[in-house]
């Protein structure tokens, strides 16, 4: 079984950085649009995706930090993971959270 990476060794914003670099290459490259309105449109579209990836990176980082807390504290009960889509101003992201279902309780408690 593959062991999960330690949260401090993961770059949660790597996808956002890569998308930003791609945007710079496209806007500044030989095939870039020449009309300012087209350039603005391209920057706006790709920039919104960069923003979405930054938000997703932060949400993923928070989930990993929460997982680390759960590993250290070992709360009583069954640990569950839930995921849901979230529509942000930048596009759809996924929010994942850890929950605890204690014996005899019908629902889980999600501390984050």
């Amino acid at each position: 079984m593959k062991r999960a990476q330690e949260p401090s060794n993961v770059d949660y914003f790597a996808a956002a950085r890569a998308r930003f670099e791609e945007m710079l290459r496209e806007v500044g490259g030989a095939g870039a649009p020449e009309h300012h309105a087209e350039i603005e449109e391209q920057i706006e579209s790709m920039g919104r995706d960069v923003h979405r990836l930054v938000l997703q990176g932060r949400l993923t980082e928070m989930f990993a930090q929460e997982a680390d807390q759960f590993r250290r504290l070992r709360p009583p009960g069954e640990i569950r993971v839930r995921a849901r889509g979230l529509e942000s101003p930048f596009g759809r992201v996924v929010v994942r959270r850890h929950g605890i279902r204690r014996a005899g309780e019908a629902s889980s408690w999600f501390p984050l």
Side-chain angles (χ1 to χ4, degrees):
M1 187 161 107
K2 189 175 181 179
R3 192 168 170 220
Q5 288 183 310
E6 292 298 318
S8 61
N9 297 335
V10 176
D11 181 2
Y12 297 101
F13 302 100
R17 282 188 188 86
R19 184 69 169 146
F20 179 73
E21 290 296 328
E22 180 184 349
M23 179 178 70
L24 294 179
R25 282 191 304 275
E26 287 200 22
V27 170
E34 292 188 19
H35 191 271
H36 71 87
E38 293 172 349
I39 297 168
E40 290 168 357
E41 191 175 297
Q42 189 174 24
I43 290 171
E44 182 177 23
S45 172
M46 294 181 83
R48 191 167 292 279
D49 197 38
V50 170
H51 292 152
R52 181 187 62 78
L53 291 169
V54 168
L55 176 58
Q56 183 64 67
R58 178 60 182 135
L59 293 171
T60 303
E61 181 180 37
M62 290 169 64
F63 179 75
Q65 290 168 345
E66 185 183 53
D68 188 46
Q69 277 185 326
F70 273 60
R71 277 192 294 276
R72 283 186 283 111
L73 299 177
R74 298 195 179 273
E78 175 189 359
I79 297 176
R80 306 175 64 142
V81 174
R82 297 289 171 136
R84 67 179 178 87
L86 174 69
E87 289 298 328
S88 80
F90 316 117
R92 190 171 185 83
V93 292
V94 176
V95 178
R96 294 177 15 213
R97 298 179 54 201
H98 292 88
I100 304 164
R101 178 178 276 172
R102 294 192 172 109
E105 292 183 2
S107 61
S108 297
W109 175 62
F110 291 85
L112 182 61

